[in-house]
Amino acid sequence: MDLELQPLNLPSDNPRPFVIAGPCSAETEEQVMTTAQQLKKLGCKMFRAGIWKPRTKPGGFEGNGEVALPWMKQVKEETGMLTATEVATPEHVELALKYGIDILWVGARTSANPFAMQALADSLKGVDVPVFVKNPVNPDLELWIGAMERINQAGVKRMAAIHRGFSSFDKKIYRNLPMWQIPIELRRRIPDLPIICDPSHIGGRRELIAPLCQQAMDLGFDGLMVESHCSPDSAWS
Ligand code: PEP
Ligand code: MN
């Protein structure tokens, strides 16, 4: 099945890439605003920050939740950047929309779960918001496409895929293996679907960000989502 798509109509850098940048998570109002102001100065037009963080083990910082959403609103008002955050449940969708988040994305753990994807799709019925879907943690193109089909069938037409690499036991170079053949095959199957590269979760290390961005550009990706922090060495996630 093909996806029924419309152009994203986001502020883009002609011709590409369009760039979304911001911290892994919204830690404090000050960290969010400082990072956003710095990115704005660099010409960034879209800001990301995680409000709800899926952590591998309990006890880690799981995001500030709803209290951090007004900070995103403030970013939009003070910098004019569009804001993006991860949603994993219908409650997240409802709250993100309530606070005017412009772009929603679905994380890699959620896109691997068809029940969770269907619940998200049901909560997005009749809502016109761009939804970006990260690849599932496992290298399964059909599962990735299926996750996007569920959202699309709910009526969401402005969509993009985010390539963030695939989990493996081997972490010698990458935190998540790029397996470029998978997004390349996705492009062949659904040529109209914009594909964004997330070098931060593929690389997991600062020195891999630039070469991964370059590789994504060489392969014809449309955009980049890059993690960025005003004080990276003290980031909470
Ligand atoms: C993130 O974007 O911070 C995140 C948790 O990503 P992923 O779902 O790719 O692990
Ligand atoms: Mn992250």
Side-chain angles (χ1 to χ4, degrees):
M1 188 210 117
D2 276 343
L3 300 184
E4 202 182 308
L5 299 167
Q6 283 170 0
L8 287 175
N9 276 332
L10 297 174
S12 72
D13 300 294
N14 246 340
R16 72 186 168 101
F18 70 85
V19 176
I20 304 175
C24 185
S25 62
E27 300 165 6
T28 65
E29 180 176 345
E30 199 198 342
Q31 170 252 9
V32 167
M33 293 314 300
T34 307
T35 306
Q37 297 290 1
Q38 291 178 353
L39 287 167
K40 170 72 182 176
K41 263 196 213 130
L42 294 169
C44 185
K45 301 184 184 79
M46 290 179 275
F47 183 78
R48 65 148 282 158
I51 302 293
W52 301 278
K53 298 306 301 176
R55 303 311 297 273
T56 301
K57 290 185 176 147
F61 173 61
E62 296 192 322
N64 281 306
E66 188 173 358
V67 296
L69 283 166
W71 309 338
M72 298 296 270
K73 213 168 180 184
Q74 199 181 330
V75 167
K76 202 164 135 170
E77 284 163 5
E78 289 186 17
T79 71
M81 282 192 278
L82 298 186
T83 55
T85 201
E86 173 177 346
V87 290
T89 68
E91 192 200 359
H92 296 167
V93 171
E94 193 187 318
L95 284 168
L97 295 173
K98 180 173 150 194
Y99 285 88
I101 298 284
D102 301 286
I103 300 162
L104 308 180
W105 86 78
V106 178
R109 293 156 194 80
T110 308
S111 67
N113 180 342
F115 291 129
M117 285 312 302
Q118 193 55 51
L120 281 178
D122 293 343
S123 76
L124 284 161
K125 279 212 176 91
V127 179
D128 182 26
V129 64
V131 178
F132 296 179
V133 180
K134 288 197 174 197
N135 64 259
V137 283
N138 51 321
D140 184 337
L141 179 58
E142 300 313 317
L143 191 59
W144 193 2
I145 293 175
M148 292 187 283
E149 281 179 2
R150 289 180 198 275
I151 300 291
N152 192 234
Q153 283 175 11
V156 175
K157 306 266 164 62
R158 290 189 290 155
M159 298 189 67
I162 304 177
H163 170 233
R164 51 77 79 198
F166 302 89
S167 278
S168 100
F169 190 57
D170 164 18
K171 305 233 186 296
K172 278 200 278 296
I173 298 175
Y174 301 106
R175 180 183 290 170
N176 291 289
L177 299 178
M179 305 177 85
W180 297 104
Q181 67 273 29
I182 294 176
I184 289 169
E185 174 63 7
L186 176 61
R187 170 55 46 91
R188 192 190 67 79
R189 291 267 298 271
I190 313 177
D192 294 338
L193 177 70
I195 307 182
I196 295 161
C197 180
D198 171 348
S200 306
H201 293 89
I202 295 175
R205 290 193 282 141
R206 241 170 268 181
E207 58 284 14
L208 290 177
I209 303 300
L212 283 165
C213 288
Q214 186 60 58
Q215 212 164 348
M217 290 302 96
D218 295 345
L219 289 170
F221 281 58
D222 303 275
L224 299 167
M225 178 190 265
V226 185
E227 285 195 349
S228 177
H229 195 289
C230 56
S231 174
D233 292 320
S234 50
W236 298 2
S237 68

